[in-house]
Amino acid sequence: MTVPPYRKAPVKFDLLQGLGVLLLVLGAQGAIRLLIDHDQLGLLGGLDAGFGGTVAMYVVAVVAGAVLAGWARDRAKALGRRK
């Protein structure tokens, strides 16, 4: 009995895709909230980077999350875990 290739593939790409989506959502939510209410810096407020620095960090989180989620999905698809 042969084991399908998707059963052999590690689950790490599934977890990385979830982490990427989480970064994307938290970054987008933080950036939108900061653009609406400039005084509420959110999760990154403790970094004391000011408005512009905090917005930039949220944008970096969005981009990093999108890239990570896309890369992990492509790797999982190449291993047969996605259709």
Side-chain angles (χ1 to χ4, degrees):
M1 179 175 191
T2 61
V3 178
Y6 65 86
R7 293 279 186 164
K8 294 179 185 178
V11 182
K12 70 180 177 182
F13 296 119
D14 299 330
L15 295 175
L16 286 174
Q17 185 177 4
L19 178 64
V21 170
L22 182 66
L23 271 173
L24 180 104
V25 168
L26 288 177
Q29 186 265 344
I32 291 169
R33 180 186 40 189
L34 185 59
L35 291 173
I36 292 173
D37 183 8
H38 299 305
D39 295 328
Q40 179 64 21
L41 298 179
L43 292 173
L44 301 178
L47 297 177
D48 200 27
F51 175 76
T54 306
V55 168
M57 285 185 240
Y58 279 124
V59 170
V60 167
V62 167
V63 171
V67 169
L68 179 63
W71 175 81
R73 182 187 179 279
D74 290 343
R75 293 291 298 161
K77 190 173 182 179
L79 292 173
R81 293 186 64 84
R82 304 277 189 283
K83 292 184 179 186

